C-alpha cells in the first residue's frame, strides 16, 4: 500500500490526455474464500475517495464496482489484489488474480450466468451480476483472462 | 417518516442504531435478497428490507450508502453481523412480517420505492 505524488500513468486507462499527477495509489490483497473480510477493501476505497472530495455519485459507482470486484476475487480466484489509482482526471480500479481464468468471457459478462456455489448464493451473491455491475459503473471497462494465468479487470471512472 | 415510526408500524425490534430511531428520516425503501441488485438499482439513503442475514448485507449497505436494514420473516443476524453494523453506524431492525407484507406496510404508509431504471453509460464530459 502506498501513497505518492509522483506522476505516473493510470494503468490500462488509455485515451484522455496522458499521465497527470497521481493523487493516490493503493493496493489491497484479497484472499480466496475470506468472506468475513469481503467488502472491507471497497469500504476503504469509498472512504478514501470521499476524503479526496470526489462527488458522491462517482464515489458510489467506484465503491460498488470495487465491492463486486472484491466479491469476485473472494469467490472465484485463487488469490489476487484490487488496486486503486486516482489522478486528477480519473479513478482506476484494477482487479488482478492468478487464476484459474475465465474460459468464456462473453458468457461471464452475461447477466444471470454464474459458476458460484450454493454457499455463495446464500450470501446474496453469485447471481451472475458481478461483471455486468462493474461494467455498469464504469466509463471504461476492460477484461482480459488467460486460462491458468489469471484475469485482469480494469474499471475507469472519469472525474470531472 | 422517522425510523422509529417504521419500527412501530412493522412491530420491529431494534438490533443496532437505537440512537437513530428519533432522528433518521426515511423516504424510500426496497426489498431484495440479491445484493448485486441492491448495488445496481437502488439510490442512496434507502432502507433495505431483506431475508438475508449475512455480513454481506451490512457490507452492501455500507458500499451503497443505505439508510438501514430490516430483516424480515423473524430472521436475526449473528452477533458478529450486529457488531459490524454498530461499528459502521448502520441501523438494523428485525420484524416477524414476511418481505411482501413489510414492503406493503411501508408503501401504504407513504414510503416510496427506489429503482434506477436507466443504465449508466459513459458520460460525454468524463474525459475518458
Amino acid at each position: 500500500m502506498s501513497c505518492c505524488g509522483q506522476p505516473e500513468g493510470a494503468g490500462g486507462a488509455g485515451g484522455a490526455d496522458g499521465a497527470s499527477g497521481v493523487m493516490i495509489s493503493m493496493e489491497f490483497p484479497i484472499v480466496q474464500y475470506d468472506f468475513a473480510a469481503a467488502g472491507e477493501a471497497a469500504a476503504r476505497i469509498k472512504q478514501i475517495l470521499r476524503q479526496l472530495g470526489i462527488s458522491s455519485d462517482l464515489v458510489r459507482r467506484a465503491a460498488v464496482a470495487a465491492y463486486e470486484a472484491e466479491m469476485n476475487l473472494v469467490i472465484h480466484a485463487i488469490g489476487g489484489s484490487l488496486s486503486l489509482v486516482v489522478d486528477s482526471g480519473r479513478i482506476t480500479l484494477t482487479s488482478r488474480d492468478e487464476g484459474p481464468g475465465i474460459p468464456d468471457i462473453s458468457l461471464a459478462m452475461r447477466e444471470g450466468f454464474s459458476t458460484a456455489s450454493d454457499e455463495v448464493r446464500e450470501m446474496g451473491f453469485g447471481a451472475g451480476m458481478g461483471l455486468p455491475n462493474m461494467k455498469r459503473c464504469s466509463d471504461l471497462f476492460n477484461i482480459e483472462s488467460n486460462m491458468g494465468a489469471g484475469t485482469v479487470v480494469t474499471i475507469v471512472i472519469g472525474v470531472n | 417518516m422517522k425510523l422509529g415510526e417504521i419500527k412501530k408500524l412493522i412491530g420491529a425490534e431494534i438490533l443496532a442504531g437505537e440512537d437513530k430511531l428519533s432522528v433518521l428520516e426515511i423516504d424510500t425503501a426496497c426489498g431484495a435478497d440479491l445484493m448485486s441488485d441492491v448495488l445496481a438499482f437502488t439510490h442512496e439513503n434507502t432502507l433495505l428490507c431483506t431475508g438475508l442475514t449475512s455480513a454481506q448485507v451490512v457490507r452492501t449497505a455500507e458500499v451503497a450508502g443505505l439508510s438501514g436494514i430490516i430483516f424480515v420473516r423473524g430472521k436475526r443476524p449473528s452477533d458478529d453481523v450486529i457488531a459490524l453494523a454498530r461499528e459502521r453506524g448502520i441501523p438494523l431492525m428485525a420484524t416477524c412480517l414476511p418481505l411482501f407484507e413489510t414492503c406493503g406496510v411501508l408503501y401504504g404508509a407513504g414510503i416510496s420505492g427506489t429503482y434506477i431504471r436507466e443504465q449508466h453509460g459513459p458520460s460525454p464530459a468524463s474525459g475518458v
Side-chain angles (χ1 to χ4, degrees):
Chain A
M1 195 160 84
S2 66
C3 285
C4 62
Q6 299 303 310
E8 69 176 54
D17 55 356
S20 46
V22 172
M23 293 154 79
I24 206 149
S25 172
M26 299 175 99
E27 190 165 289
F28 302 86
I30 311 292
V31 180
Q32 186 180 28
Y33 303 141
D34 188 358
F35 293 109
E40 198 56 44
R44 288 276 293 116
I45 286 168
K46 186 175 184 179
Q47 190 182 29
I48 290 158
L49 295 176
R50 263 208 196 119
Q51 285 167 349
L52 290 173
I54 291 165
S55 75
S56 64
D57 169 55
L58 300 181
V59 169
R60 190 175 194 266
R61 277 168 50 197
V64 167
Y67 186 33
E68 289 283 14
E70 196 177 350
M71 286 306 291
N72 261 0
L73 287 169
V74 169
I75 295 164
H76 300 289
I78 53 170
S81 69
L82 183 61
S83 74
L84 166 73
V85 175
V86 185
D87 61 29
S88 56
R90 63 183 71 112
I91 300 162
T92 306
L93 293 162
T94 310
S95 159
R96 287 187 184 85
D97 68 56
E98 290 121 48
I102 301 170
D104 184 341
I105 289 179
S106 62
L107 197 58
M109 289 302 302
R110 193 183 298 169
E111 281 194 17
F113 176 82
S114 177
T115 57
S117 66
D118 285 349
E119 182 198 13
V120 167
R121 289 172 203 269
E122 281 162 17
M123 283 188 286
F125 285 89
M129 292 280 289
L131 289 168
N133 263 5
M134 286 181 231
K135 190 175 181 181
R136 194 179 270 121
C137 291
S138 314
D139 288 318
L140 210 76
F141 178 88
N142 187 58
I143 177 165
E144 287 170 26
S145 189
N146 292 302
M147 293 308 291
T151 302
V152 178
V153 182
T154 310
I155 292 150
V156 180
I157 297 169
V159 180
N160 299 329
Chain B
M1 67 175 67
K2 294 278 190 293
L3 188 67
E5 291 174 67
I6 288 173
K7 178 182 178 290
K8 277 187 207 146
L9 280 172
I10 56 173
E13 177 191 353
I14 185 97
L15 307 174
E18 295 84 349
D19 55 320
K20 294 195 173 171
L21 283 171
S22 59
V23 289
L24 184 62
E25 197 68 43
I26 304 290
D27 300 315
T28 57
C30 66
D33 283 356
L34 189 57
M35 294 303 102
S36 287
D37 277 353
V38 175
L39 292 165
F41 302 115
T42 63
H43 290 278
E44 283 195 307
N45 305 319
T46 291
L47 186 66
L48 170 65
C49 307
T50 185
L52 201 68
T53 57
S54 73
Q56 297 312 318
V57 181
V58 175
R59 302 285 190 186
T60 298
E62 186 177 20
V63 166
L66 302 177
S67 307
I69 301 160
I70 297 172
F71 299 106
V72 299
R73 299 193 290 275
K75 289 175 171 249
R76 282 186 70 106
S78 67
D79 290 348
D80 290 353
V81 173
I82 294 171
L84 180 66
R86 285 187 180 279
E87 187 189 306
R88 304 301 159 98
I90 297 163
L92 302 182
M93 297 201 288
T95 177
C96 290
L97 295 179
L99 182 59
F100 178 75
E101 288 179 35
T102 303
C103 295
V105 168
L106 298 187
Y107 195 80
I111 300 288
S112 310
T114 171
Y115 180 64
I116 297 170
R117 286 179 171 78
E118 286 181 354
Q119 285 202 4
H120 166 75
S123 81
S126 65
V128 294

